[in-house]
């Protein structure tokens, strides 16, 4: 390939193979990649210049905020990576309204640490190394999801560089269509620079880990789903199911938004009674930043190869809970994780943002680790197909037309495609994904 000629403004921001920085910037958490060029802009003008270079090159383009990149799109082979990790500021812009301006390249551990002295928090995924931009343009299912809602539900404005280089400040009254798209489908309309997000007052949370024996027929999972769906919204819960000897175990992780020890105990203790028998129960009060610790921060070098997909589900039935246990029991040894939804997530109207899934109660995340891969994952996911009711973009490592339709069904998908064409008519942001799959159906 002929070496790309860069404008002066980007020459100090470019990393190519052979550069000492390249090994720490080339990959995602789950995949070793080999891009031809990595650009590290530090402001809007440099992002615009990087987009122009990418447009003129004709090469695949990945936009990365610096975090895990489970969506499969934040690096590529032979193309350009536009990495905004240097745009990582965190500042309070309205103390009374608790509005924070967060750079798209920040990671959530740093955001939580910056907010801790104020006694505030933003629900933001479940690991400190997750990047702000990737999560805050797709949804944001975090430790406080049932009490706070999605991260996008509290975004008040976004600064976006469009594919043609224009910088736009989008909110509910200024370019509302762009603002709508940036909250759930932002990766197809522009490059986010910064978000204005409303935080919630929160210093400490109750954190519980409960292990139970789980029955093969799914009754444990159904009871867990029903308990979370009916629980006060201070409680958010995750579950992981795995073989244990000749049977199965379920690990329930619970977060209670508040520091009332009696309340924490009252909400977490019933989880131990949902299985065949309790195996272990632990709970404690911790500062919110402990959940997304700065200790989580690390470079992403493909150190955890994995393939992931997901399905949104209503409150579990006997049949869908049994299907989940079939996934856990399948010979392909797919890791099954469940996340409780509902609560504040479902207070938001389905058409308020590009994330339209406002009635489901459970997100099932399926992951295969080597030597397993796509074939084993597809076989496991097929067991949930009869019960699936949508999908979440950030837990799909092979984005394609099918996953696009799951994330953006019906009229939502049509609006998303229309806005992608309006703001990115040349398809710069919709070039081939790292996996070689189309990221959405052709217009």
């Amino acid at each position: 390939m002929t070496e790309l000629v860069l404008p002066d403004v980007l020459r100090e921001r470019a990393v190519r193979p052979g550069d000492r920085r390249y090994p720490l910037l080339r990959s995602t958490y789950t995949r070793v990649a080999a891009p031809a060029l990595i650009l590290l802009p530090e402001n809007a003008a440099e992002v615009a210049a990087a987009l122009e270079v990418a447009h003129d090159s004709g090469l695949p383009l990945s936009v990365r905020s610096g975090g895990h990149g489970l969506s499969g799109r934040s690096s590529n082979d032979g193309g350009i990576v536009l990495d905004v990790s240097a745009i990582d500021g965190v500042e309070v812009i309205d103390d009374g309204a608790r509005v924070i301006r967060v750079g798209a390249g920040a990671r959530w551990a740093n955001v939580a640490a910056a907010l801790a002295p104020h006694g505030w928090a933003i629900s933001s995924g479940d690991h400190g190394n997750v990047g702000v931009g990737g999560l805050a343009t797709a949804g944001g299912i975090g430790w406080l999801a049932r009490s706070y809602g999605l991260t996008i539900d509290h975004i008040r404005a976004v600064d976006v560089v469009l594919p043609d280089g224009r910088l736009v400040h989008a909110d509910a009254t200024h370019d509302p269509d762009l603002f709508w798209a940036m909250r759930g489908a932002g990766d197809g309309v522009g490059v986010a620079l910064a978000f204005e997000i409303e935080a919630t007052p929160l210093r400490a949370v109750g954190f519980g880990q409960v292990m139970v024996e789980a029955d093969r027929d799914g009754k444990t999972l159904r009871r867990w789903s029903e308990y979370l769906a009916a629980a006060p919204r201070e409680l958010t819960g995750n579950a992981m199911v795995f073989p244990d000897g000749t049977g199965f175990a379920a690990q329930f992780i619970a977060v209670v938004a508040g520091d009332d020890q009696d309340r924490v105990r009252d909400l977490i203790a019933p989880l131990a009674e949902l299985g065949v028998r309790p195996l272990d129960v632990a709970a404690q009060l911790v500062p919110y930043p402990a959940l997304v610790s700065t200790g989580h921060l690390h470079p992403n070098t493909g150190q955890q190869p994995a393939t992931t997909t997901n399905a949104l589900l209503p409150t579990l039935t006997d049949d869908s809970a049994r299907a989940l246990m079939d996934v856990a029991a399948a010979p392909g040894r797919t890791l099954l994780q469940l996340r409780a939804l509902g609560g504040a997530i479902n207070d938001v109207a389905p058409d308020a943002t590009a994330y339209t899934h406002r009635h489901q109660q459970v997100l099932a995340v399926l992951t295969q680790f080597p030597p397993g891969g796509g074939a084993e994952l597809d076989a496991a996911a097929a067991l949930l197909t009869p019960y699936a009711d949508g999908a979440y973009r950030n837990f799909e490592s092979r984005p394609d037309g099918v996953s696009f339709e799951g994330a953006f069904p019906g009229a939502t998908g049509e609006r998303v495609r229309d806005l992608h064409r309006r703001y990115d008519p040349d398809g710069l942001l919709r070039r081939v994904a790292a996996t070689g799959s189309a990221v959405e159906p052709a217009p």
Side-chain angles (χ1 to χ4, degrees):
M1 182 190 74
T2 301
E3 183 168 315
L4 295 172
V5 177
L6 300 178
D8 291 344
V9 72
L10 291 179
R11 287 180 183 168
E12 298 299 318
R13 310 287 188 243
V15 177
R16 292 184 170 91
D19 189 301
R20 62 180 177 80
R21 297 168 292 175
Y22 186 80
L24 296 178
L25 294 170
R26 63 186 291 184
S27 301
T28 70
Y29 182 60
T30 60
R31 179 180 180 275
V32 176
L37 176 67
I38 302 165
L39 296 172
L40 302 166
E42 297 185 356
N43 54 51
E46 292 176 2
V47 170
L51 288 170
E52 183 176 5
V53 168
H55 179 275
D56 293 345
S57 74
L59 294 174
L61 173 66
S62 295
V63 178
R64 179 169 65 203
S65 61
H68 276 167
L70 295 186
S71 70
R73 297 190 61 192
S74 59
S75 195
N76 59 60
D77 294 328
I80 296 173
V81 174
L82 196 170
D83 185 318
V84 299
S85 58
I87 305 173
D88 61 354
V90 181
E91 62 176 320
V92 176
I93 60 174
D94 187 333
D95 188 79
R98 301 187 304 277
V99 176
I100 318 302
R101 180 180 172 84
V102 183
R107 302 193 195 190
W108 287 108
N110 300 122
V111 177
L115 297 186
H118 301 274
W120 302 343
I122 295 172
S123 186
S124 50
D126 55 8
H127 195 277
N129 199 55
V130 172
V132 167
L135 181 134
T137 54
I141 297 173
W143 287 121
L144 306 175
R146 297 189 69 254
S147 58
Y148 180 85
L150 303 179
T151 307
I152 61 171
D153 297 338
H154 295 271
I155 292 175
R156 300 296 174 249
V158 189
D159 286 343
V160 187
V161 178
L162 299 180
D164 64 9
R166 286 180 294 151
L167 174 63
V168 178
H169 181 81
D171 59 23
T173 56
H174 302 92
D175 215 328
D177 283 342
L178 179 62
F179 184 55
W180 180 89
M182 289 302 297
R183 293 171 299 152
D187 58 335
V189 292
V191 178
L193 288 188
F195 304 86
E196 296 178 10
I197 309 176
E198 181 185 345
T200 188
L202 187 70
R203 291 190 179 275
V205 298
F207 180 75
Q209 294 177 290
V210 178
M211 189 80 74
V212 301
E213 180 183 344
D215 66 283
R216 175 62 179 83
D217 288 337
K219 293 183 177 62
T220 298
L221 297 186
R222 181 177 53 77
R223 288 193 289 264
W224 171 83
S225 174
E226 291 174 347
Y227 175 66
L228 267 295
R233 58 181 55 192
E234 300 106 291
L235 178 66
T236 295
N238 295 351
M240 183 167 61
V241 184
F242 47 88
D244 182 34
T246 59
F248 294 87
Q251 182 186 43
F252 301 137
I253 297 177
V255 172
V256 179
D259 58 2
D260 184 322
Q261 294 189 41
D262 292 337
R263 184 68 165 168
V264 169
R265 182 178 57 251
D266 290 346
L267 291 176
I268 292 177
L271 293 168
E273 307 304 318
L274 302 180
V276 176
R277 61 188 177 94
L279 300 176
D280 188 47
V281 180
Q284 59 183 319
L285 291 176
V286 299
Y288 177 74
L291 301 183
V292 286
S293 167
T294 53
H296 294 170
L297 298 174
H298 57 74
N300 298 301
T301 58
Q303 64 265 54
Q304 183 59 81
T307 311
T308 297
T309 192
N310 70 91
L312 289 162
L313 306 166
T315 301
L316 300 186
T317 64
D318 288 342
D319 289 341
S320 61
R322 189 177 300 111
L324 288 168
M325 291 304 299
D326 290 342
V327 170
R333 299 187 69 83
T334 298
L335 176 66
L336 174 65
Q337 300 178 74
L338 306 177
R339 294 162 188 258
L341 307 177
I345 295 174
N346 293 4
D347 289 345
V348 178
D351 61 354
T353 68
Y355 181 94
T356 189
H357 307 290
R358 301 296 183 165
H359 66 274
Q360 295 88 339
Q361 296 290 338
V362 175
L363 171 65
V365 182
L366 284 61
T367 302
Q368 269 286 335
F369 302 99
E376 292 84 356
L377 187 66
D378 290 342
L383 299 171
L384 298 184
T385 298
Y387 314 103
D389 185 18
Y392 178 49
R393 303 195 81 201
N394 271 358
F395 291 130
E396 177 55 65
S397 59
R398 300 172 297 167
D400 58 15
V402 174
S403 65
F404 180 93
E405 295 292 347
F408 306 114
T412 299
E414 289 302 316
R415 185 177 180 187
V416 168
R417 282 190 287 267
D418 287 346
L419 292 174
H420 283 184
R421 288 190 292 265
R422 182 198 304 179
Y423 290 101
D424 184 19
D426 295 330
L428 175 61
L429 301 174
R430 303 193 300 279
R431 288 182 181 164
V432 178
T435 58
S437 303
V439 298
E440 65 180 76

